[in-house]
Amino acid sequence: MSRKNNLSKLIAYIKLTRPQNGIMMFIAVLVGVLFSESRSITMYQAPLAFVTAFSLSGSSMAINDYFDRHVDAINSPSRPIPSGKVSPKGAIVFSTVLGVLGLVAAAFTSHICLAFATLAYASAIFYNSLVKSSGLPGNMLVSFNVVAPFIYGSLMSDGAVGAKVLIFALLAFLANTGREVIKGISDVEGDALRNVRSVARSIGEKGAAILGASLYVSAVCLSPLPYILGYVSFLYIPTVLVCDAGFIYSSISIIRSPSRENAVRVKNHSLVWMLIALISFIIGGFP
């Protein structure tokens, strides 16, 4: 029985990190490298980049769940902390260990990578502890952390950030901010407990749906830019069209039905569209 309990606790800690997010963060770092000028990454840097991306993402997710534990008891009672599988203290210790591990890996990569990783990690903690209740500014800070891996990859490769990376970062920023706004529709009841001034609570679910959909459509409208500017090959087009169609479908869906249930569905679908967007960047980035 003890072995079974230990396995259950291990699985809960893994869930706390949202491992799929960490993997996507690492892929985004590689995309940042791909669209850097030198496209340089060594066998030494690659595992360090994975540890940094995965650990800092996991640490941020764990600290997010710590601060959200009372809200999650209503919105998502099956999550590791409200379900009792991970204690609040255990989540803090786990998050700290992951954070230190990620920053150490960044330090072994380069000084500029450590500086930027520290900035991104500090902004994630700042968001979770102080800014989350602000609504749209908090949504935008989350999106900064989502695009941070693109910038990190470029810094690791070139020591600077070029126009190519900034274009892709902008597309991801718009799409993720739309997702965060729509996510607020599904969290209205729990957000009321912490007085989170989400867009959905400030202007209503319909208004949040329109704003979120508008951000999705803005990303779709700007998606041809990388090809027009010559940053990607024609191979980018078919895959990004699938992504664009997904975002347009989700936009229409959430405007037609800005309900809690549909908002959950749309925010989950959006992760799929964002993954396809990453794939389109990668495919198009190769000559």
Side-chain angles (χ1 to χ4, degrees):
M1 183 65 72
S2 177
R3 186 173 297 177
K4 185 177 180 180
N5 288 339
N6 288 338
L7 179 60
S8 177
K9 182 168 285 191
L10 175 63
I11 292 172
Y13 273 100
I14 292 173
K15 285 183 177 179
L16 197 65
T17 67
R18 315 261 216 301
Q20 69 276 14
N21 289 7
I23 292 170
M24 285 184 68
M25 289 292 182
F26 176 60
I27 294 172
V29 170
L30 297 181
V31 171
V33 173
L34 181 62
F35 287 97
S36 65
E37 294 301 321
S38 62
R39 295 186 172 187
S40 172
I41 184 171
T42 67
M43 293 298 291
Y44 169 78
Q45 290 174 324
L48 289 174
F50 176 80
V51 172
T52 296
F54 193 91
S55 297
L56 294 187
S57 172
S59 177
S60 299
M61 293 300 101
I63 201 70
N64 174 76
D65 277 17
Y66 170 80
F67 282 109
D68 276 1
R69 62 192 186 279
H70 301 303
V71 175
D72 285 344
I74 293 174
N75 289 337
S76 305
S78 63
R79 283 186 176 173
I81 297 177
S83 68
K85 293 177 182 177
V86 175
S87 70
K89 181 180 178 181
I92 288 291
V93 172
F94 184 56
S95 175
T96 301
V97 170
L98 287 176
V100 170
L101 182 62
L103 293 177
V104 168
F108 277 105
T109 304
S110 72
H111 294 308
I112 194 168
C113 282
L114 173 61
F116 186 75
T118 302
L119 172 66
Y121 185 52
S123 71
I125 295 175
F126 182 56
Y127 163 77
N128 284 305
S129 59
L130 296 172
V131 184
K132 190 168 189 175
S133 62
S134 66
L136 186 59
N139 297 152
M140 295 172 73
L141 191 55
V142 170
S143 294
F144 165 73
N145 279 278
V146 167
V147 304
F150 293 106
I151 298 171
Y152 187 87
S154 181
L155 290 172
M156 183 171 62
S157 177
D158 293 344
V161 185
K164 292 181 185 179
V165 173
L166 289 177
I167 289 292
F168 288 106
L170 174 62
L171 296 176
F173 182 88
L174 290 170
N176 192 76
T177 303
R179 181 179 183 271
E180 289 295 314
V181 170
I182 290 169
K183 179 176 177 288
I185 298 172
S186 65
D187 294 341
V188 166
E189 185 179 351
D191 284 345
L193 291 178
R194 282 185 57 187
N195 196 29
V196 174
R197 297 185 297 276
S198 66
V199 174
R201 291 194 66 227
S202 298
I203 64 174
E205 288 89 341
K206 186 69 174 181
I210 292 171
L211 177 58
S214 297
L215 289 163
Y216 282 167
V217 172
S218 296
V220 170
C221 290
L222 292 175
S223 65
L225 266 182
Y227 180 71
I228 293 171
L229 294 173
Y231 295 157
V232 291
S233 70
F234 181 78
L235 293 175
Y236 167 79
I237 299 298
T239 313
V240 83
L241 282 176
V242 174
C243 166
D244 288 349
F247 276 122
I248 291 172
Y249 167 78
S250 292
S251 298
I252 295 171
S253 175
I254 195 63
I255 289 175
R256 283 182 173 175
S257 176
S259 64
R260 182 184 187 279
E261 295 74 15
N262 196 39
V264 171
R265 189 179 305 112
V266 167
K267 75 170 186 176
N268 290 337
H269 287 171
S270 298
L271 283 178
V272 177
W273 313 144
M274 291 169 74
L275 178 59
I276 294 173
L278 274 177
I279 293 171
S280 72
F281 296 167
I282 294 168
I283 292 173
F286 289 105

